[in-house]
Amino acid sequence: MKRALTILGSLVGLVLLAGAGFVAYVQIAYTVDYPRTPLPAITARTDAATIARGEYLVHAVAHCSTCHGPADLMTQRQLDFRQPLVGGFTWELGPLGLFGSFTARNLTPHATGIGAMSDGQLARVIRHGVDSRGKLSPMMRIAVGPMSDEDLTAIISWLRAQAPVEARRPSYELGFLGKVAALDFRPRLDPPPAHVPEGELGVARGKYLAEGPAACVGCHTPADPIAGFARSGPLFSGEAEAEVDPTNTTQEIIAPNLTPDPETGHLAGWTEDVFVARFRAGRVIKGSKMPWEGFALMTENDLRSLYRYLQTVPPARRQVGRTVRPR
Ligand code: HEC
Ligand code: HEC
């Protein structure tokens, strides 16, 4: 008996030591410093056509305003798109906020916003996910999809054309799980996708939007947050795990499988017109993280293109269950 207790004691001791070692390792080994990430050669323009294209991207397709809008409107998830993008909404991510705390930045051209940032610095955080300090911006790296030089130019041109508003926002703070994730998490350095212009109707435009600026692929494909958000399952086969509904903690929400699998695909039986009408209806599930307010403003051609592209994705048999359900 005494001997068994001694062995148990040493085992517990070993586990504690290994745990402490892991904590120390993460604290020392994680990094968010990527100052040598190149600044894309993008220059803002001042012509009305480019600025108008930027407005469509910021509010609708790339849905920047659904994160950078005024914090009080964000909480209600009722966005008035004519409000200045002053930021201020804070996300406490992960169980007990252990991934960290992230506050949306002021995107108006005031010195407390993007006023002091160069076009290259703006382009770098949008394209590569590296901020003006040369540090990884995890939220930007995950939430914003890859986009063409043309679209990046249009977004920056629109931002530069807005009225400045003073509003200083804090930088993020990583929690312990955020540091574990940072061990494997890098800026995105892939070459940018080729531009497929608005007005084009078809699979190529849909693919560009879904894998690019609209970032559908990010939420609707399984990914492992601890392995640097690496893809962990078939393209568009649904989110890895359900997340607690922030507006009603007795239920959870999961992004469905959008592949054309006849049994487990969420869109089985949806016609193109049903798909377009669903987007026009906007938010149905209050606590959903999908930026329905922005997507509801997409042009009919873009919505039809998205539907046509999703029909061409390889069908993946993956049952994620009902999108909203009790926990
Ligand atoms: C899911 C929410 C989300 C979306 C969508 C989003 N952002 Fe951000 N963004 C953030 C957060 C949070 C921060 C602050 C992160 C930090 O502290 O590093 C940020 C930071 C920034 C910064 C400041 C970088 C710096 O160097 O200080 C810029 C510029 C920016 N975002 C632009 C955009 C643009 C343009 C879009 C649309 C293409 C966009 N964001 C979409 C959440 C978002
Ligand atoms: C920030 C994460 C996120 C992004 C980006 C996102 N989705 Fe979703 N999507 C979800 C979640 C979560 C749900 C389930 C809750 C709901 O229906 O709102 C969902 C549901 C859906 C549904 C089912 C709606 C219903 O009524 O049953 C469709 C269709 C869909 N998404 C398509 C898309 C397309 C197309 C894009 C890109 C244009 C996209 N999603 C981008 C998270 C996201």
Side-chain angles (χ1 to χ4, degrees):
M1 180 66 188
K2 204 170 158 208
R3 185 143 170 259
L5 276 180
T6 318
I7 293 174
L8 191 68
S10 354
L11 276 179
V12 169
L14 268 178
V15 168
L16 285 179
L17 200 66
F22 180 64
V23 171
Y25 166 73
V26 171
Q27 294 289 354
I28 296 165
Y30 90 96
T31 179
V32 289
D33 287 317
Y34 297 96
R36 282 189 297 279
T37 310
L39 300 171
I42 297 281
T43 314
R45 298 171 48 141
T46 52
D47 62 287
T50 305
I51 291 173
R53 286 189 47 241
E55 179 164 29
Y56 177 59
L57 286 158
V58 166
H59 291 330
V61 175
H63 55 274
C64 319
S65 44
T66 65
C67 283
H68 288 277
D72 50 334
L73 294 180
M74 287 285 307
T75 324
Q76 301 163 31
R77 293 198 184 261
Q78 284 168 358
L79 297 173
D80 177 346
F81 291 107
R82 287 155 305 175
Q83 303 277 335
L85 301 186
V86 293
F89 186 79
T90 300
W91 288 261
E92 302 283 349
L93 295 183
L96 306 171
L98 272 172
F99 273 108
S101 157
F102 304 84
T103 302
R105 207 57 54 83
N106 170 5
L107 296 191
T108 74
H110 189 269
T112 54
I114 59 164
M117 289 174 72
S118 67
D119 289 348
Q121 283 174 322
L122 277 170
R124 182 170 71 174
V125 74
I126 302 168
R127 174 164 288 167
H128 301 305
V130 173
D131 70 14
S132 44
R133 303 168 302 165
K135 290 192 188 294
L136 191 66
S137 177
M139 282 287 270
M140 289 295 291
R141 170 68 179 77
I142 300 166
V144 179
M147 58 185 105
S148 65
D149 284 352
E150 286 85 342
D151 281 353
L152 203 47
T153 305
I155 286 180
I156 294 173
S157 304
W158 184 85
L159 291 175
R160 292 282 191 225
Q162 303 310 297
V165 179
E166 177 168 0
R168 195 174 293 283
R169 305 299 180 199
S171 298
Y172 67 82
E173 272 175 53
L174 286 188
F176 181 68
L177 283 182
K179 290 173 183 170
V180 174
L183 289 173
D184 282 317
F185 196 40
R186 306 270 177 281
R188 172 172 55 224
L189 294 172
D190 321 323
H195 190 57
V196 184
E198 288 97 330
E200 211 165 273
L201 172 61
V203 173
R205 173 75 179 162
K207 179 178 166 67
Y208 172 71
L209 293 170
E211 297 183 1
C216 318
V217 71
C219 288
H220 286 275
T221 302
D224 182 355
I226 296 301
F229 292 87
R231 193 167 286 175
S232 59
L235 192 71
F236 279 111
S237 64
E239 200 172 6
E241 276 177 43
E243 286 179 12
V244 181
D245 178 346
T247 64
N248 175 356
T249 51
T250 66
Q251 54 184 28
E252 58 182 20
I253 305 179
I254 189 161
N257 178 345
L258 298 181
T259 73
D261 182 61
E263 274 167 50
T264 62
H266 190 81
L267 299 181
W270 290 41
T271 62
E272 193 171 299
D273 286 336
V274 166
F275 184 86
V276 173
R278 174 65 197 87
F279 275 79
R280 287 284 177 256
R283 178 172 303 278
V284 173
I285 296 163
K286 187 160 183 263
S288 172
K289 62 181 174 177
M290 180 155 156
W292 288 105
E293 292 79 7
F295 290 157
L297 302 174
M298 280 200 270
T299 62
E300 182 154 338
N301 271 4
D302 278 351
L303 291 172
R304 292 191 183 280
S305 298
L306 280 166
Y307 179 87
R308 292 182 197 183
Y309 163 63
L310 289 171
Q311 299 304 307
T312 69
V313 170
R317 238 188 105 81
R318 184 164 172 263
Q319 190 62 261
V320 301
R322 290 190 49 196
T323 52
V324 194
R325 58 216 185 197
R327 285 168 73 191

